[in-house]
Amino acid sequence: MKPLSVKNLTAITAGKLLQGSDEVLIQYGAYRLKQVKKPYTALFTDKRIVNWKSLESLAPLVLVTEWVYSQHEIPQHVIIIQVENTDEAYWKFVHYYRSQFEIPVIAITGTSGKTTTKEMIKHILSAEKEVTATTLSSNSRTASLQYLLSIEEETEVAVFETAVGSPGDVRKAGKYFKPTIGIITNIGAHHLNYCKTLEGYIQAKGEMVEIVNPDGALILNAEDVNIRKIDLSKFKGRIIYIGQQASCHYRASHIRYVENGMQFTLHHKKKKYEVFVPGFGEHQVYNALGAIAAIHELRVPISVAIKQLATFKKVNKQLQLFEGINGSILIDDTWSLTTTSLEAALKVLNSLGEGKKKIAIIGTITDLGSWGYIIHEQAGELIHKIGVDVLITIGEHARIMADRAVKLGFSKPVYIFNNNILVYKLLHEIVDENTIILIKGDMYSKQISQLAADLKVKKTLPKENDSRQ
């Protein structure tokens, strides 16, 4: 955080200093008591503090509050700024802090690919610029203040994920970050327990249109059917499309699998570039297109971005390859699970597993609420359409996708388990050196994570494979 004096904070919030020195420099900010970890923190809270003794180690603490305390209540090491409305004071502080920085801010949302796209952008820009960014997939609404305050005087670019748990999340993130560039990677079906319907979820992702600076740019996946449902009529900035269509501003062609990743030809303004991106799958090409488009908006030459992208390190548990049991190849994709990411993973399994026995182990899709049955059925339809040689599901709701695939005519062996206890034994019986296994789940499933760990022997790399996804 760029330090801020108590005197300045008092003026910004239109508050009144009741106790303490106005010369103290604030180094941290918080709006919940449990977020206060260090001294010199400004805490904005409308809750009355009773246990002052527990805060002694955090002195000096700056308390911004609308509560009226009697003088004998407050320890001398607590600085008090009284305001009329704590919430209004908090947002005055947030807006002031963001206004201090005239830097590009990139915000990324999407059902899948946002963490990888963000990490690609960070990796490419970090070679020559001071970049601040969200940490891996830690993108909850409660972390937004800390990420905003991570912008400091030396920061040149900021890159933030803006996830959707509920409607309004992207809009609220925009109040913190005020992005100059927005990216929507794709929109599948997720968090329907709070968004209620797919249309509601699309609208929640579409809030990105509202938060990007009117002088900025919005980067969209041209081929995503749900992105095409977003109303763009009120956006005054530049709209940039990525994809494989001829009309795209950044177009990919000749997509192919090579050793350790994907190779493709990038077309932009009548120029062609050969691009290698670490990581497998056509979706990885789209992640790269989004990253390159955003970086080029910052006037970084495409050739420079491509060179740096080639050294990108894939995110853990996202289609990572390992040597598995009995000489097999294991694809660990246990970072997240949506129908969007499942489709991408099954395509990678089929491309890398050409000529091998292909086994898919799939867990339960979470955060679906009343949509759970329908979305799991859609997952079963994907399995039937794309195909595998052996299907294993783990979890009560995962059974729905297996049942749906079979009902549609999936005729390969299917094994249904409520937990992972017997799966390892089964795999030892049916897996050999001519087998490739995809294990697909999310980071919150301990059963899936444990099984993935049990199936790994050591890391391995595939031979070159020119089949296209």
Side-chain angles (χ1 to χ4, degrees):
M1 176 180 170
K2 183 179 179 179
L4 179 70
S5 71
V6 169
K7 182 178 182 179
N8 285 345
L9 182 60
T10 304
I12 291 163
T13 58
K16 181 180 179 181
L17 182 63
L18 296 184
Q19 176 174 295
S21 169
D22 65 2
E23 296 180 0
V24 170
L25 287 180
I26 298 163
Q27 307 283 347
Y28 310 96
Y31 64 89
R32 290 180 178 176
L33 187 57
K34 66 180 181 181
Q35 293 174 333
V36 182
K37 305 294 182 184
K38 296 179 180 180
Y40 300 98
T41 296
L43 170 63
F44 295 77
T45 181
D46 58 2
K47 292 181 171 54
R48 191 174 186 87
I49 295 176
V50 177
N51 186 9
W52 293 100
K53 192 166 183 63
S54 65
L55 303 177
E56 286 181 357
S57 62
L58 300 171
L61 172 69
V62 181
L63 181 64
V64 183
T65 182
E66 61 197 63
W67 277 95
V68 179
Y69 290 94
S70 60
Q71 265 192 324
H72 72 274
E73 279 186 90
I74 309 167
Q76 289 301 308
H77 61 262
V78 178
I79 299 168
I80 297 287
I81 299 175
Q82 190 173 52
V83 295
E84 288 190 10
N85 184 289
T86 306
D87 190 58
E88 289 179 7
Y90 173 74
W91 285 109
K92 286 177 182 177
F93 163 66
V94 167
H95 295 320
Y96 168 80
Y97 193 84
R98 174 64 182 91
S99 70
Q100 294 184 97
F101 305 97
E102 293 292 330
I103 62 171
V105 175
I106 303 169
I108 307 169
T109 196
T111 303
S112 59
K114 54 186 176 292
T115 298
T116 299
T117 303
K118 180 260 300 178
E119 290 295 318
M120 285 179 176
I121 293 170
K122 178 183 174 183
H123 173 75
I124 295 168
L125 291 176
S126 294
E128 295 185 356
K129 296 181 181 293
E130 194 67 34
V131 182
T132 188
T134 41
T135 304
L136 290 178
S137 64
S138 178
N139 52 32
S140 70
R141 63 182 75 87
T142 58
S144 292
L145 176 63
Q146 302 311 318
Y147 284 125
L148 173 66
L149 298 183
S150 70
I151 300 176
E152 299 179 325
E153 285 188 290
E154 62 270 23
T155 303
E156 295 174 272
V157 183
V159 191
F160 301 121
E161 285 186 43
T162 50
V164 168
S166 302
D169 282 353
V170 171
R171 190 180 295 117
K172 190 167 186 179
K175 291 178 68 177
Y176 286 98
F177 304 132
K178 295 179 171 58
T180 57
I181 298 173
I183 303 174
I184 305 179
T185 58
N186 51 56
I187 303 177
H190 201 38
H191 294 297
L192 299 183
N193 49 341
Y194 294 109
C195 294
K196 306 301 180 186
T197 66
L198 178 57
E199 289 70 25
Y201 180 63
I202 293 170
Q203 289 177 9
K205 289 293 187 186
E207 291 170 11
M208 180 65 74
V209 175
E210 303 173 33
I211 71 172
V212 175
N213 190 298
D215 296 325
L218 188 61
I219 299 169
L220 304 175
N221 179 341
E223 276 118 46
D224 189 279
V225 293
N226 289 327
I227 288 178
R228 292 202 292 266
K229 297 175 183 176
I230 295 173
D231 182 5
L232 302 174
S233 62
K234 295 181 181 179
F235 184 67
K236 304 303 181 185
R238 297 179 307 284
I239 298 176
I240 298 168
Y241 288 104
I242 62 170
Q244 298 183 57
Q245 297 175 3
S247 59
C248 290
H249 300 91
Y250 295 81
R251 180 169 70 89
S253 70
H254 300 96
I255 299 172
R256 55 208 182 271
Y257 282 71
V258 297
E259 187 173 358
N260 298 334
M262 308 298 291
Q263 190 84 24
F264 66 97
T265 302
L266 169 63
H267 304 258
H268 178 68
K269 290 187 175 180
K270 298 183 180 180
K271 290 186 178 180
K272 295 181 181 180
Y273 307 83
E274 280 302 308
V275 184
F276 167 75
V277 54
F280 295 105
E282 192 172 287
H283 67 284
Q284 191 76 335
V285 172
Y286 282 75
N287 293 337
L289 286 174
I292 292 170
I295 288 162
H296 196 222
E297 278 292 300
L298 304 183
R299 302 181 185 277
V300 175
I302 290 177
S303 57
V304 172
I306 290 170
K307 182 179 178 181
Q308 188 68 6
L309 182 62
T311 63
F312 173 70
K313 292 184 178 179
K314 295 175 290 183
V315 179
N316 285 338
K317 297 186 177 182
Q318 290 194 12
L319 294 170
Q320 277 189 304
L321 298 185
F322 295 85
E323 183 178 332
I325 59 172
N326 300 347
S328 64
I329 294 174
L330 176 69
I331 306 174
D332 182 351
D333 198 30
T334 55
W335 182 266
S336 67
L337 176 55
T338 64
T339 51
T340 305
S341 65
L342 175 61
E343 181 176 14
L346 290 171
K347 288 180 178 179
V348 171
L349 174 64
N350 274 320
S351 293
L352 294 182
E354 188 174 350
K356 295 180 178 290
K357 178 163 67 175
K358 298 175 285 291
I359 299 177
I361 306 169
I362 308 173
T364 296
I365 306 173
T366 57
D367 292 337
L368 296 176
S370 61
W371 284 80
Y373 191 89
I374 293 172
I375 300 302
H376 280 91
E377 280 203 324
Q378 290 176 0
E381 291 164 11
L382 286 173
I383 294 165
H384 171 254
K385 183 176 96 174
I386 298 170
V388 294
D389 296 316
V390 178
L391 173 62
I392 299 172
T393 63
I394 299 176
E396 184 178 347
H397 290 92
R399 171 192 289 269
I400 298 168
M401 64 179 81
D403 291 342
R404 180 62 174 167
V406 171
K407 186 176 181 179
L408 290 173
F410 184 81
S411 58
K412 300 298 177 68
V414 176
Y415 300 90
I416 297 170
F417 296 92
N418 285 331
N419 54 58
N420 66 339
I421 296 173
L422 299 177
V423 179
Y424 186 80
K425 180 181 178 183
L426 168 67
L427 290 170
H428 254 294
E429 295 172 357
I430 65 174
V431 165
D432 58 26
E433 65 278 359
N434 194 44
T435 303
I436 183 167
I437 307 167
L438 167 68
I439 181 164
K440 181 70 176 158
D442 66 37
M443 64 184 80
Y444 304 109
S445 173
K446 293 181 180 179
Q447 292 193 83
I448 295 289
S449 296
Q450 184 57 56
L451 181 61
D454 292 342
L455 294 174
K456 293 173 188 174
V457 176
K458 64 180 180 180
K459 195 160 186 178
T460 186
L461 294 173
K463 297 299 181 183
E464 185 169 329
N465 184 338
D466 287 329
S467 61
R468 294 184 190 174
Q469 187 174 331

